Amino acid sequence: MGKKDASTFKLPVDQYRKQIGKQDNKKTKPALRATRLKAEAKRSAPGIRDTLLIIVTVLIFLLVIYALFYLNLSTELNLDLDMD
């Protein structure tokens, strides 16, 4: 008698796992394939964020070089004017 009573009672965890398993089986193969392809494309493609970061870095580098040349030339011009 003890076995029969124990088999009718299911743990909530087991019921939850069974429910999740049913939901997962409802997905069709094309839907699963589309999800997988979307995830692979997201992982493999370089993002806009990476490209933007590289462009901003190059622009800052060029701005720093321009500022150094500008300051160097402006100091030389000031020295030439002071000698007159």
Side-chain angles (χ1 to χ4, degrees):
M1 278 196 206
K3 277 188 170 182
K4 189 175 185 181
D5 292 337
S7 67
T8 58
F9 178 71
K10 291 186 179 180
L11 293 174
V13 175
D14 291 335
Q15 291 174 350
Y16 178 71
R17 288 178 181 159
K18 188 174 182 180
Q19 183 182 9
I20 289 176
K22 286 181 181 178
Q23 289 174 357
D24 194 36
N25 289 336
K26 290 179 185 176
K27 295 179 183 174
T28 60
K29 283 188 178 183
L32 292 172
R33 186 179 299 127
T35 306
R36 186 181 68 238
L37 289 175
K38 186 177 177 182
E40 286 177 7
K42 191 174 184 180
R43 272 186 264 134
S44 64
I48 295 174
R49 187 173 144 197
D50 295 338
T51 308
L52 206 59
L53 183 65
I54 291 171
I55 291 172
V56 168
T57 306
V58 169
L59 287 176
I60 289 174
F61 179 73
L62 290 174
L63 183 66
V64 168
I65 290 176
Y66 178 78
L68 288 174
F69 279 123
Y70 176 76
L71 290 174
N72 190 17
L73 289 176
S74 65
T75 342
E76 287 179 7
L77 289 176
N78 288 339
L79 289 175
D80 289 343
L81 291 175
D82 290 341
M83 292 204 149
D84 287 339

